[in-house]
Amino acid sequence: MTMIDLQLRPLWTAREIADAVGGRASVDFAINGVSYDSREVGAGDLFVALTGENTDGHRFLPQAFARGAAGAIVSEPIDEPHILVDDSMAALEAMAKASRARSDAKIIGVTGSAGKTGTKEALFAALDRYSRGKAHRSVKSYNNHVGVPLSLARMPAATKFGIFEMGMNHPGELSALTRIVRPNVAIVTVIAPAHAGFFKDEAEIADAKGEIFEGLEPGGTAIVPFDSPHYERLRAKAEKHAAHVVTFGFKEGADVRALDHVRATGGGSLVTAKIGPRMLVYTVREPGDHWIGNSLALLAAVDAVGGDLAMAGLALAELAEMPGRGARHQVPVRGGSLLVIDESYNANPASMAATIRELGREDAVRKLVCLGAMKELGDKSDGYHAGLAEPLEDANVAFAALVGPEMQALAKALAKRPGWDGKYAHCGSAEEAIAILSQHLRADDALLVKGSNAVGLAKVVDALTGDNDN
């Protein structure tokens, strides 16, 4: 098959879909994409009409076809081109499994309490460059029981490398997802108290993250954080399912290790790393030790699938900024500009502390924060929020806008510390935070905006940057 043939080949034909899902095609058609959200349907896509407790995708079929859908998976007959099935969610999963089965791609699964999306995007950049456009990855943070099958169903048959993010907030979720993905390489980035409200302790979180190794293909590789306090637990789990276990970290003994790192000109880090017997010097565009850790996991994975380490280093230096995950904006203000660091998509105690610590290293006259509540921390929530007081002091933060009821615990902790009078405000909403920050921000400041996505701190970033399209 020639390159032209591959480019012209549709993602799926109706016959292929029907065979994969055990359904019946009304007519023959071909599709070039898959979606379950009618708002995201493009011309030539397949719309999967999912049904759930609160919604029924069949209600949005007119919108999907109006946007150019070529066909739909449905559980009730319609006049437009379709595949009729008994259960549309089961059909999506079957389609995902068929996509995985028809592909010779090397598949990498990524999980962890933080760093999943960044590591997935960096891996895609590295392997897409190496394979000349033959890499595929899950988009956005499609990492749950719907997003993972959707991302697999979207994978072209000619893909050389597939990278899939997998998330969880309950035991057993990753076990099911990884058996669909069937990775050749599985990464755990870091263990931290994310979703702590659903687990007894971090050890249980480590056990749940370790489920990703259960789906490894024969001969597969598990990549484990060497510096984690849960390393032995993760390694023991990995050894049950992996032919190879590769470790990464900063400490002596890691298979992929950062021997040295310094702050790079213009931000980020210049890293000297050891990968087995080899050495690599590269730049990580994103600042922070947590991003160096992500880069080490990436190098381990690229090496495991036979990629090019030098190209991976170039990809890390050129990695595009991700909105809500570290994007940096210079915002004009009277007398100059201020730096806005957008970490508004997600937060847990470990990632909060890491980004606050990195803020303290910024070359700015003053450091300010707008911190949103960290969700799903259960009865440990107050302690985790109050525990951010020390990182704020260490970073020499001049003012803190704290958003959400959970942040009341941090406000109380700061009130007990000398020198914090007038240097913080507890806000009920992102809109209130915007109004308060407008009174404090000035030229040469650096502002970190970080919180769980549900708090809506993207509104703060949009208000400051003038991006009101979201």
Side-chain angles (χ1 to χ4, degrees):
M1 185 175 289
T2 68
M3 180 64 69
I4 293 176
D5 292 332
L6 289 174
Q7 291 173 340
L8 294 177
R9 189 189 188 285
L11 181 64
W12 293 90
T13 66
R15 183 185 298 276
E16 290 169 339
I17 299 169
D19 289 345
V21 306
R24 187 173 74 252
S26 63
V27 294
D28 194 22
F29 60 89
I31 59 107
N32 292 308
V34 186
S35 181
Y36 63 82
D37 187 336
S38 63
R39 297 166 297 184
E40 296 182 358
V41 169
D45 280 0
L46 174 76
F47 176 65
V48 185
L50 298 179
T51 57
E53 293 182 5
N54 301 316
T55 188
D56 183 351
H58 294 81
R59 292 171 44 212
F60 302 99
L61 284 162
Q63 293 94 316
F65 282 102
R67 292 181 62 88
I73 288 181
V74 295
S75 56
E76 52 193 57
I78 58 174
D79 292 334
E80 293 82 1
H82 64 273
I83 310 290
L84 185 63
V85 298
D86 293 329
D87 183 328
S88 53
M89 184 64 228
L92 179 60
E93 288 186 5
M95 195 172 170
K97 291 175 181 177
S99 180
R100 178 66 180 92
R102 72 179 183 174
S103 174
D104 293 326
K106 294 291 186 181
I107 303 296
I108 302 172
V110 184
T111 195
S113 301
K116 294 187 294 295
T117 302
T119 301
K120 177 256 298 180
E121 289 295 321
L123 275 166
F124 172 76
L127 293 171
D128 200 53
R129 179 189 291 247
Y130 174 64
S131 65
R132 300 185 179 182
K134 293 291 187 64
H136 173 79
R137 92 289 206 188
S138 46
V139 298
K140 301 182 182 178
S141 291
Y142 282 8
N143 62 19
N144 64 7
H145 69 288
V146 178
V148 170
L150 177 74
S151 298
L152 261 173
R154 288 173 166 177
M155 183 171 69
T159 296
K160 298 298 183 185
F161 300 100
I163 308 99
F164 297 92
E165 177 181 342
M166 288 180 267
M168 65 89 206
N169 58 18
H170 287 85
E173 288 182 87
L174 270 177
S175 181
L177 292 178
T178 190
R179 284 180 166 85
I180 297 173
V181 175
R182 290 168 40 212
N184 302 101
V185 176
I187 302 171
V188 175
T189 57
V190 68
I191 302 298
H195 313 298
F198 302 114
F199 297 92
K200 181 178 68 177
D201 52 28
E202 274 194 20
E204 283 196 354
I205 295 173
D207 288 342
K209 294 297 184 184
E211 291 173 10
I212 193 173
F213 304 132
E214 295 174 9
L216 276 168
E217 287 286 273
T221 299
I223 298 178
V224 178
F226 187 74
D227 303 340
S228 172
H230 308 287
Y231 164 68
E232 295 293 346
R233 197 178 197 98
L234 288 168
R235 185 177 187 108
K237 177 71 171 181
E239 288 177 343
K240 294 179 181 178
H241 305 281
H244 312 281
V245 179
V246 179
T247 63
F248 69 94
F250 294 84
K251 295 180 180 179
E252 186 173 354
D255 298 317
V256 180
R257 181 185 172 208
L259 299 177
D260 185 46
H261 57 93
V262 296
R263 194 171 181 85
T265 303
S269 301
L270 180 65
V271 184
T272 301
K274 176 182 77 72
I275 304 99
R278 293 153 296 172
M279 302 277 284
L280 182 69
V281 179
Y282 61 97
T283 298
V284 182
R285 177 176 177 174
E286 297 291 338
D289 291 352
H290 55 298
W291 255 104
I292 298 174
N294 292 346
S295 76
L296 298 172
L298 174 147
L299 294 176
V302 168
D303 193 42
V305 297
D308 187 285
L309 293 174
M311 285 188 180
L314 291 173
L316 286 162
E318 300 171 1
L319 189 64
E321 292 184 333
M322 292 175 283
R325 301 180 184 275
R328 298 160 72 88
H329 306 273
Q330 287 292 337
V331 176
V333 296
R334 186 161 51 185
S337 66
L338 69 93
L339 171 65
V340 177
I341 304 168
D342 178 12
E343 288 273 1
S344 61
Y345 187 81
N346 209 351
N348 62 54
S351 66
M352 251 324 179
T355 49
I356 292 170
R357 182 169 59 248
E358 192 57 34
L359 174 68
R361 299 170 181 167
E362 290 290 342
D363 183 17
V365 174
R366 299 186 311 153
K367 287 93 171 181
L368 299 88
V369 298
C370 178
L371 303 182
M374 300 178 288
K375 300 295 187 179
E376 297 184 349
L377 294 179
D379 58 7
K380 303 169 187 174
S381 178
D382 283 355
Y384 283 129
H385 283 86
L388 297 176
E390 186 172 344
L392 290 174
E393 281 199 345
D394 291 345
N396 194 28
V397 167
F399 184 80
L402 311 175
V403 185
E406 295 91 339
M407 275 292 170
Q408 185 66 48
L410 177 54
K412 291 178 179 178
L414 293 175
K416 296 176 182 177
R417 291 180 173 246
W420 275 92
D421 187 36
K423 292 175 60 177
Y424 68 92
H426 183 245
C427 313
S429 66
E431 289 79 8
E432 186 180 345
I434 293 167
I436 290 172
L437 286 169
S438 67
Q439 302 171 29
H440 290 271
L441 296 172
R442 55 182 186 243
D444 300 320
D445 286 347
L447 170 69
L448 168 66
V449 182
K450 186 169 181 64
S452 291
N453 192 41
V455 183
L457 294 192
K459 295 176 184 177
V460 176
V461 177
D462 293 345
L464 293 171
T465 61
D467 183 0
N468 297 310
D469 295 333
N470 296 327

